[in-house]
Amino acid sequence: MQALKFEDETLRREIEAVLQNYTPSQLDRIYLTACPKYRDREKEIPGIYGYIHDAATSRLLAEVQLRLDRAAVESEKRLRFGRVDGHVSVLLSEKPLLSIEVKVGRVKLVQPAVYSFLTGIKTVVADLQMGEVYTIDTRTARIILKSLLRHLQVRGALKMRNCTIPGKDCYYCGESCRFRKDVKFNSNPLKLLTRIFRNMNAVVDKVVREIEREMGDGGVKEKD
């Protein structure tokens, strides 16, 4: 137990040092790229994506709160190293229960792992596209973050060797090199709406069940 505590303190210091240079979402993008020269391409994200995410988040948090008697839901809670879409705490004591991250696109794991490890509470990732919920506890977060630190170390060593690893990342990379690909993606974000709101009730049920496990059955109302 003492060894694990020491290991966690070391990992915490290393992650907090990395967060001085990167946001949790930036670390997710780095974790998913092999090439050490990769950097994000400056691009304008259509406002409709943000609108869909915010609408889905509002719906989900409101539905979850409707089911809770002894717990309070907070929207977009700011943390020292970022912010979570939702935060659930015990109503009277304000004891933190868990955080909620809502995803309407690709699910990423570094961001919720950072939140879980540094706050010491679980982060529930609500994947509205697939209708699934993934719970990142501190044990899982530890595994993800150790892997992230190793990946950063390896990328740094490859960069020192001036290595390039071309592939799928070249479509999104802002680096000027011979492998860069300029491809325009024409997707209609409105196609997401049907799937997202069709999955809403199932995802709300799963989030509520996770809250039940954290606080006991007494604080949750059954659906009418």
Side-chain angles (χ1 to χ4, degrees):
M1 182 65 71
Q2 193 67 27
L4 180 60
K5 184 177 180 181
F6 176 78
E7 184 181 332
D8 279 356
E9 285 302 317
T10 302
L11 180 58
R12 177 183 295 273
R13 287 195 298 270
E14 291 176 334
I15 291 299
E16 288 181 344
V18 170
L19 289 170
Q20 298 300 312
N21 299 312
Y22 303 100
T23 66
S25 58
Q26 287 173 331
L27 289 174
D28 253 316
R29 291 194 291 274
I30 292 172
Y31 191 49
L32 296 176
T33 56
C35 182
K37 296 180 180 178
Y38 175 87
R39 62 181 178 86
D40 282 338
R41 184 182 300 191
E42 291 185 10
K43 56 185 179 181
E44 290 188 9
I45 300 176
I48 188 68
Y49 285 104
Y51 183 91
I52 291 171
H53 174 269
D54 291 351
T57 300
S58 297
R59 273 285 316 278
L60 185 139
L61 296 180
E63 295 282 356
V64 168
Q65 181 65 88
L66 185 65
R67 302 274 300 279
L68 302 175
D69 273 337
R70 293 192 297 109
V73 174
E74 184 178 347
S75 174
E76 200 172 85
K77 183 176 178 64
R78 289 190 174 276
L79 307 172
R80 182 167 58 88
F81 39 81
R83 59 188 181 186
V84 289
D85 291 324
H87 178 78
V88 183
S89 58
V90 178
L91 190 58
L92 295 179
S93 68
E94 297 185 355
K95 175 186 175 183
L97 286 174
L98 52 79
S99 298
I100 301 172
E101 273 294 294
V102 178
K103 299 298 180 185
V104 297
R106 188 179 191 183
V107 170
K108 299 172 184 176
L109 297 179
V110 170
Q111 185 179 25
V114 168
Y115 296 153
S116 290
F117 187 76
L118 295 185
T119 63
I121 62 174
K122 295 177 181 178
T123 300
V124 170
V125 181
D127 178 4
L128 285 165
Q129 271 215 67
M130 302 305 296
E132 295 294 338
V133 166
Y134 311 101
T135 302
I136 309 297
D137 57 16
T138 52
R139 179 179 176 276
T140 305
R142 190 183 299 118
I143 294 169
I144 294 169
L145 296 180
K146 283 182 178 179
S147 178
L148 167 70
L149 291 175
R150 174 59 182 170
H151 189 54
L152 292 172
Q153 182 184 26
V154 170
R155 278 172 52 105
L158 291 174
K159 195 168 186 176
M160 292 291 291
R161 289 165 52 183
N162 199 32
C163 286
T164 303
I165 303 177
K168 63 179 178 60
D169 304 330
C170 300
Y171 290 100
Y172 312 99
C173 183
E175 188 69 24
S176 296
C177 80
R178 63 192 179 93
F179 297 109
R180 175 171 168 162
K181 295 179 173 63
D182 291 308
V183 177
K184 197 168 185 178
F185 295 93
N186 295 312
S187 59
N188 182 1
L190 293 178
K191 291 181 179 178
L192 293 172
L193 287 175
T194 301
R195 181 183 297 181
I196 287 170
F197 291 113
R198 183 179 63 221
N199 290 332
M200 181 64 68
N201 288 339
V203 171
V204 168
D205 286 344
K206 292 174 183 177
V207 171
V208 167
R209 281 199 294 272
E210 190 60 44
I211 296 170
E212 283 181 328
R213 280 191 282 269
E214 290 301 300
M215 70 179 300
D217 296 342
V220 180
K221 289 191 298 187
E222 291 300 321
K223 252 195 331 186
D224 294 333

